[in-house]
Amino acid sequence: MRNDRRVRRLVVDGAVWNWTVRQRVRPDYADCRLTLSFFPEASEGSGRRRLSLVFAPGPDRIVSNSYFEAGTVVRLPDRSWLNLYEPGTARRLFDAAATALGIRELERDLEVDGWPYFAVVVSG
């Protein structure tokens, strides 16, 4: 059995970022969440920041709970889907959401809704 909670590496323009996917399962499906988090590799003098893209179920939006493959998020109107465990998906979502890090520079733990970035990735 593989460990889906492991931390993975992503190199962007020479900077090393780590990323991980976490799933929060609750008895009420509306409270379930899939979170894709990015944080820079620790080095002297670098601050520890975290960018978390949170995917929650909603109208026309599904997060995997048991029926779909782990890490899958689906938009129903057009049946577009992404698997957050795929490195290419993580990279495209990071590129789409990286501007949020620059806009909100003072926030150490930045948690944002992942669905707008999903739309950018599947449309581009």
Side-chain angles (χ1 to χ4, degrees), residues 17-86:
W17 289 80
N18 295 306
W19 62 281
T20 186
V21 177
R22 300 285 188 248
Q23 183 171 9
R24 185 180 82 186
V25 178
R26 299 283 191 227
D28 184 10
Y29 176 68
D31 294 330
C32 293
R33 302 285 181 270
L34 269 172
T35 304
L36 174 62
S37 297
F38 299 94
F39 48 96
E41 191 166 79
S43 63
E44 285 188 40
S46 73
R48 290 290 276 176
R49 295 190 71 196
R50 178 181 302 266
L51 171 62
S52 298
L53 305 179
V54 180
F55 294 88
D60 297 327
R61 297 174 177 172
I62 296 174
V63 298
S64 64
N65 191 8
S66 61
Y67 182 73
F68 294 103
E69 182 178 16
T72 301
V73 290
V74 181
R75 184 175 63 191
L76 286 179
D78 59 357
R79 297 182 183 180
S80 295
W81 64 275
L82 294 173
N83 188 314
L84 303 182
Y85 285 110
E86 293 178 6

